Amino acid sequence: MSQEIKIRKLNTEQERFQAERLLATSFLHDWNEKEAQEAARKPNGDVFAAFGENGNMISATLVLQRASTFEGKVVSCPEFHMIGTLPEARGAGAVRTLLGSILREHASKGELFAVLIPFSFAFYRKYGFEVASEILAQEAGIEQFASFRQEFEAEQILSQKDVDEARQLYTDFMAKYNLADLRSEEDWKYRGSGEFGERSWEYADKTHYSYLFRDGNGKPAAYFTFAFTHGADGPFTGTMRVTELIFNSPEALCSVFGFFYGMRAKITDVSLELPRDVDLSLLLPECDSVKRRLNGYFMARILNVDKVLAALCQPKGEGKYSIHVVDRFLPENTGTYDVSYRDGRTMEITRGTESADLDVTVETLCQMAVGLSDLGAALYREGTILRSNRDVLEQVFVRKPLFLR
């Protein structure tokens, strides 16, 4: 079934409230009218909706604007938060039209990426999104931390001043990762509940505790936030669920681990979600008893291929390469891009017509650009063809630190 669908931003509280109800219905969420009214009154971002031929709202989404990192710089990045269509209106292309309109609007602003947390990875691949996150979820017994000593002074974070110091640690830590969320001013404000740090939705019913560590000079060196969940033996012992861990040196991390061990009277196990370059199996004595799994919660898609290529860290010396990109959802990105570089920087990008060194889909290019995949891994993906210039392309597309969360 096809129909004419119109897209527009919602500017009234009444329409945003209607969108809240639509999204709750779409995702079969329990309806909370009070929370919906508050969200409609003061939305976190821009609310967009699709309307059918009869003028009824059939699909909606909330788009947040976030500051993210890419190749050592801060970039503006739209994040889609809940994209839903009424069950009775599905199959009419509402999401396709809604996403296409919003993505093109942000592409016209020169933005590089859009991101979202999918309910289905396969569904959003139809629109050019691809997995662009890799978080290492790990768990280890508390005795594994016995050799670590808490050399740095720790204090519970209980003031906005402490939060501001933690924020600078966070910003410095995330600068080395691609697609890290630097958070908004609102995110860093004092939380009315008296809690500080990153609250995990997975443990929303639990109290979250945060601690700040200072080095010998009294300067902030690390902080972490955790929630406690009791074990099978009852509420007196259980697992420390670390929802955030930030540090500026190996010594700071070791002090945090020493702090963990100091809580062994209550804590039996520690679980953490960390970037893949912080691997507990390489740090703890019994590596085979560390439980590890990779989580890929986030997807991203390239909005402007030329701007992403221009922002990439390029090889040393001087050279050039060409890439043919196929973008089925935003065909304006499809084409051959000739890139010249000098001493790590892009010098010029032009649209070419000749056969390219490398053919890729826009989904594969996204993974390569952010550093989730190198050239070798990308060659196993459908649509990737390497014709020439392998030595240069292997220097351009390498695995990089990535922490999209």
Side-chain angles (χ1 to χ4, degrees):
M1 106 184 135
S2 65
Q3 59 176 302
E4 182 182 358
I5 297 172
K6 295 183 178 180
I7 309 298
R8 62 179 171 83
K9 179 180 173 181
L10 305 183
N11 293 313
T12 69
E13 185 176 333
Q14 181 179 359
E15 282 192 326
R16 291 194 294 266
F17 180 78
Q18 183 182 352
E20 288 289 328
R21 184 180 289 278
L22 182 154
L23 290 170
T25 302
S26 300
F27 288 95
L28 304 181
H29 288 171
D30 292 331
W31 174 246
N32 187 313
E33 185 168 341
K34 184 177 179 181
E35 289 183 358
Q37 287 174 338
E38 179 61 23
R41 184 182 68 82
K42 191 178 179 182
N44 291 327
D46 293 329
V47 184
F48 292 86
F51 297 83
E53 290 178 342
N54 59 4
N56 291 338
M57 187 186 300
I58 58 176
S59 184
T61 186
L62 172 67
V63 182
L64 312 178
Q65 201 66 29
R66 54 186 280 177
S68 298
T69 55
F70 184 62
E71 302 293 74
K73 295 181 175 61
V74 178
V75 297
S76 180
C77 183
E79 177 182 348
F80 290 85
H81 180 70
M82 297 181 67
I83 306 173
T85 302
L86 291 172
E88 65 270 27
R90 291 173 185 173
V95 168
R96 174 172 290 274
T97 306
L98 185 64
L99 272 174
S101 174
I102 300 172
L103 289 173
R104 285 186 170 90
E105 178 181 333
H106 283 275
S108 69
K109 298 176 182 178
E111 294 175 329
L112 276 63
F113 298 97
V115 299
L116 53 77
I117 301 176
F119 76 93
S120 164
F121 291 98
F123 180 82
Y124 284 105
R125 285 192 180 102
K126 295 186 296 184
Y127 308 112
F129 286 87
E130 187 51 274
V131 177
S133 176
E134 191 175 81
I135 297 175
L136 192 57
Q138 307 173 72
E139 186 169 329
I142 193 65
E143 293 301 322
Q144 289 264 51
F145 298 90
S147 64
F148 294 95
R149 297 290 178 266
Q150 184 192 328
E151 303 291 346
F152 292 175
E153 181 181 339
E155 61 183 67
Q156 190 174 0
I157 296 179
L158 293 173
S159 72
Q160 185 63 47
K161 177 178 178 295
D162 294 336
V163 171
D164 292 340
E165 291 183 300
R167 177 180 185 175
Q168 189 58 55
L169 278 172
Y170 181 92
T171 301
D172 294 343
F173 182 85
M174 290 301 180
K176 65 181 179 180
Y177 295 99
N178 273 344
L179 293 187
D181 180 12
L182 297 182
R183 301 178 180 159
S184 67
E185 290 294 328
E186 190 68 24
D187 291 330
W188 288 103
K189 286 183 179 178
Y190 176 88
R191 285 160 171 77
S193 64
E195 295 181 6
F196 300 86
E198 178 70 358
R199 171 170 267 285
S200 169
W201 64 268
E202 192 173 356
Y203 309 109
D205 61 331
K206 302 294 182 182
T207 299
H208 287 55
Y209 301 90
S210 295
Y211 285 86
L212 180 67
F213 292 74
R214 300 181 187 278
D215 62 20
N217 297 316
K219 295 182 178 180
Y223 78 88
F224 80 101
T225 299
F226 75 94
F228 173 77
T229 59
H230 65 76
D233 296 332
F236 300 106
T237 59
T239 300
M240 175 188 288
R241 306 286 180 182
V242 178
T243 59
E244 185 155 285
L245 173 57
I246 303 296
F247 54 93
N248 66 4
S249 69
E251 294 79 13
L253 180 61
C254 289
S255 279
V256 174
F257 286 171
F259 184 95
F260 290 172
Y261 189 65
M263 299 186 71
R264 61 191 178 277
K266 183 82 172 179
I267 302 300
T268 58
D269 299 278
V270 179
S271 72
L272 313 94
E273 286 194 346
L274 296 169
R276 64 189 179 200
D277 56 333
V278 186
D279 189 339
L280 292 184
S281 69
L282 303 178
L283 304 177
L284 302 183
E286 298 295 339
C287 58
D288 61 339
S289 65
V290 177
K291 299 176 183 178
R292 303 161 70 248
R293 74 179 187 275
L294 288 175
N295 290 340
Y297 295 134
F298 275 84
M299 300 183 82
R301 79 106 65 218
I302 291 176
L303 296 177
N304 287 285
V305 169
D306 56 342
K307 294 187 181 302
V308 169
L309 293 174
L312 278 179
C313 293
Q314 303 290 355
K316 295 180 180 179
E318 188 173 355
K320 59 183 179 180
Y321 57 89
S322 59
I323 301 178
H324 182 76
V325 181
V326 175
D327 189 336
R328 290 177 289 272
F329 188 63
L330 298 180
E332 49 267 43
N333 276 323
T334 296
T336 299
Y337 297 81
D338 296 328
V339 182
S340 62
Y341 64 86
R342 182 184 304 134
D343 296 331
R345 296 178 56 193
T346 302
M347 301 306 296
E348 185 180 22
I349 295 178
T350 57
R351 288 289 192 114
T353 57
E354 302 296 326
S355 177
D357 297 324
L358 179 69
D359 285 6
V360 292
T361 65
V362 74
E363 296 88 348
T364 298
L365 180 62
C366 183
Q367 288 191 332
M368 295 167 69
V370 301
L372 183 61
S373 169
D374 59 15
L375 178 66
L379 293 176
Y380 290 95
R381 288 180 59 99
E382 183 179 359
T384 303
I385 302 174
L386 176 64
R387 294 188 178 84
S388 55
N389 218 3
R390 180 168 191 149
D391 289 347
V392 168
L393 290 168
E394 284 182 332
Q395 297 177 63
V396 177
F397 298 112
V398 298
R399 296 266 284 181
K400 300 172 185 176
L402 182 69
F403 197 37
L404 199 165
R405 56 171 300 164

